[in-house]
Amino acid sequence: MSQRPAALLILLSMLGYAAADDAIKTRPLKPTPQNSSDAAADGEWSNDGPPRLLSLPADPAAAMAAGIDRFLLEKLAAADNARQQYWQDADAVAENVRFLSRQLGLEPERYPADLQWESPPLRTSDRFEVHAVRWPVLSHPAPPSVTEPGTTAGLQLQPSLWGEGLLWLPRQANGSSVVMLSHDSEPSLWSDPIADDQRDRCEALAAQGFTVLEVATTGHDRIQHGGAKLPRREYLNRAAFELGRTLVGYEIQTVQSAIDWLAQQPAASEAADAKVILAGWGEGGRTALISAAIEPRIDLTIVAGYFGPRDRVWQEPADRNVFGLQNRFADAELAAAIAPRKLVIQTEPRFALEESGDAGASPATWQSPNRDEAQQEFDRIASVLAAIGQPAGTPAHAKLISDEKSDLLNDIICPALDLQVPPAVAVNDAKTEASEAAATDKRNAIDRRARRLAMIDRHTQALLEESEYERGAFMNLGHSRTIANNAHNKLDTSSPAAYEKSIERFRKIFREQVVGWYDQPKLPANPRSLQSYKGTGWTGHDVVLDVFPNVFAYGVLLVPDNIPAGEQRPVVVCQHGLEGQPRDTFADNHRAYHDYAAKLAEAGYIVFAPQNPYKGKDAFRTLQRKSYPVGKTLFSIIASQHQQILDWLKTIPSVDPQRIAFYGLSYGGKSAMRLPALLPDYCLSICSADFNDWVWKNASTRARYSYIGTGEYEIYEFGLGKTFNYAEMAALIAPRPFMVERGHYDGVGPDDRVAKEFAKARFLYAARLKLPERCEIEWFDGPHMINAVGSFEFLDRHLRSGDETPLPPKN
């Protein structure tokens, strides 16, 4: 037996790990006082000698989620200072903008500019005409199978994503153009007061010779999909996010494509002083601000009713999730990236969004920052510019104004661009049938909204189909001869040792760019225990371990009785599913778990059943929302908890540190795909009732098995479609043993999808690594549950070395 600290030996003797004759000394479970909020939240323990629990929190899962919540809020609060490391010289701006483009999922190429408009015009005057227009933005995601010589590949594909809107075409164009983005409404000549204000602005600009393009964007009104009623923006962003794109990214490239066309117009190309102006209100202000940071052709950006602190971005609408954005950008950094091009920030008008979170939607609340909040963020621009070598003081390129009555042309555009204020002109409309024109325009706006929803949805579904090829180019599992076997994605399968070395660069990407990893040192575990359960041949102990400040791990350790001194046993970590708790795995014969943890303990395995934080509905789902902005996920926390659990288990004398396996059901099956992939200390993994074509399950808007139409809004992981489906996660587990437990009637997905994805993992193990015995699937005639037949045989085969005392037979 290895040497152990004396205090730990005393603790272990409490748990029954000393000689078999030693009595187990524990304290009975003491009810937590319900009128003590601190005790109910954190439990009680004693430090007189080895730490030991006196009582558990009233709800350990709720206490865990509350502690993680505090931890994440501190991380978000620290983001403002932490991002300074990315803004230290002039070269940093370009790198940060490249990072922004990647996290927005901007496609590398846009479709060639080709704006089309309807005739006759919706409105005609002596100064301008107004047309409904559309223009191609992105091609179909799949490359052409045959390239016509001398023709750009993109032209051989039909456009997949189009922009739409209203074009105000002046009769005497001055060469400058204005692109407008509204808050939450369709461009329309006859509509609500917001559209009326927009119409007046467009008329004034077009009358003075500006070409004006109102770009249609997606609103927050709800649609029904599956069992959920979701805001349009959240619905469209869910699939896009999983595939490494974003809805705002689509809108930014729509603006860029519009600028492509505007720049080609004769008046713009011939005028020496032609300018491109981008103006956005509310939601449109957000798109304008980010667009200007990326697109250098924009000379002036006007952001109204949006600019301010982003410290509560996790509360904002779910489509505003940009993974890792807060690590490098808040609004002040976006403003700094625009310099020296001009920026005008207007605090009025103000807008508000409220999403209750019912019917499957993600809860959200946001309102335009007030003057003080906007000023606070505006003042930070100077410090960001100073850090990258710009002159100190008030930023010369930016201005903050509050007057809602400011005239867009005379009070904002002309002063910002040093243009002479033009004299007022009258607009004389041609005779039209007003009622007929209004009805046509209203019909156009409704049709445009429906088309845009369907178009973006179809584009993401085409991306989903293409994603298999993207993953093949990322990591070559070798299941298809059409995937290039080049150096950057090659896996060395010449030997298990060579494979383990070659897979590490992919594990690093999974850890740092997909799941997210906390590099900070963990606290000492400070284990506290309490004997709480007695089963047939085993004793159960509640165990609490410290992980980070405010973050703890909790679970139940099941120890077979009378383990001989000096013997080391294998451990199986048995993980519950969604809304579960440790006792579900070993008590009361739960219909999904069938006491599988207790049966393993009866068979002689040491078992640890952890509490994972996915319990409490919005209480845990919003933890994901708090993680996204800093490039982390819920599994960033769970992985740290499990690393602490592993480190602690390995200190127990009766545990074999080389034989600690993972076996999880449902959400625990999700854990079985991610945690052993992240933590090589797990020697084996069994995924029960979850293994799937995971990217399809998250991004398909047609499949009835998809999460798109459910309330599990925390389930999405940015860019997984480009990198790691479940076969690629299994590749991170390889060459360690890996098994799938699959019931034919499990509603998580159909057999054919499961089989196809598993076949890729099986090919890697059996055909390339020549280790077929390490990769299995058990099909059984049953629903979403632990079957505990083939999986128990798999555990016995891979965990029992043959040199320990024979384990008792399973009942």
Side-chain angles (χ1 to χ4, degrees), residues 567-584:
E567 181 178 306
Q568 290 188 319
R569 292 280 180 93
V571 178
V572 182
V573 173
C574 293
Q575 188 62 67
H576 65 78
L578 180 66
E579 298 294 339
Q581 56 186 336
R583 66 173 289 122
D584 292 339

Side-chain angles (χ1 to χ4, degrees), residues 486-507:
N486 49 42
H488 86 275
N489 74 348
K490 184 176 180 180
L491 296 174
D492 186 347
T493 56
S494 59
S495 70
Y499 180 83
E500 287 177 337
K501 183 177 180 180
S502 71
I503 200 68
E504 277 306 310
R505 68 182 181 275
F506 295 101
R507 194 187 323 280

Side-chain angles (χ1 to χ4, degrees), residues 39 182 196 283 351 413 460 497 600 646 661 727 744 749 766 774 784 794:
S182 295
D196 290 343
E283 193 72 62
F351 306 93
I413 293 176
T460 57
L600 287 168
L646 284 161
H744 288 306
R774 295 192 184 184
H784 190 75
F794 192 78

Side-chain angles (χ1 to χ4, degrees), residues 183-184 219-220 231 233-234 237 283 286 306 310 312-322 352-355 362-367 625 628:
H183 169 59
D184 203 14
H220 289 272
R233 295 189 67 86
E234 180 177 350
N237 198 68
E283 193 72 62
R286 172 180 180 250
Y306 173 78
R310 299 263 82 81
R312 302 187 73 81
V313 65
W314 63 271
Q315 286 187 330
E316 297 183 23
D319 65 278
R320 293 186 180 180
N321 291 332
V322 178
L353 293 168
E354 190 74 30
E355 180 52 65
S362 176
T365 182
W366 173 81
Q367 62 180 3
R625 296 283 303 279
Y628 285 149

Side-chain angles (χ1 to χ4, degrees), residues 498-535:
Y499 180 83
E500 287 177 337
K501 183 177 180 180
S502 71
I503 200 68
E504 277 306 310
R505 68 182 181 275
F506 295 101
R507 194 187 323 280
K508 180 176 171 50
I509 294 171
F510 187 61
R511 178 184 289 129
E512 296 178 1
Q513 298 179 27
V514 178
V515 174
W517 188 259
Y518 287 106
D519 290 324
Q520 71 184 73
K522 295 189 298 298
L523 296 172
N526 188 28
R528 287 90 73 193
S529 64
L530 172 71
Q531 180 179 319
S532 305
Y533 303 95
K534 192 76 179 78

Side-chain angles (χ1 to χ4, degrees), residues 273-316:
D273 58 349
K275 303 294 183 182
V276 175
I277 301 153
L278 178 61
W281 287 260
E283 193 72 62
R286 172 180 180 250
T287 304
L289 181 64
I290 304 174
S291 298
I294 290 170
E295 178 51 70
R297 294 176 296 176
I298 298 171
D299 299 289
L300 168 63
T301 305
I302 303 164
V303 177
Y306 173 78
F307 189 92
R310 299 263 82 81
D311 56 337
R312 302 187 73 81
V313 65
W314 63 271
Q315 286 187 330
E316 297 183 23

Side-chain angles (χ1 to χ4, degrees), residues 385-409:
L385 291 172
I388 59 175
Q390 298 296 316
T394 302
H397 78 293
K399 182 179 181 180
L400 179 68
I401 61 176
S402 298
D403 185 7
E404 184 178 359
K405 302 301 182 182
S406 296
D407 180 81
L408 182 62
L409 176 59

Side-chain angles (χ1 to χ4, degrees), residues 225-243:
H225 181 76
K229 194 170 184 180
L230 305 172
R232 286 172 186 263
R233 295 189 67 86
E234 180 177 350
Y235 167 75
L236 292 173
N237 198 68
R238 285 186 175 190
F241 189 86
E242 187 76 10
L243 297 167

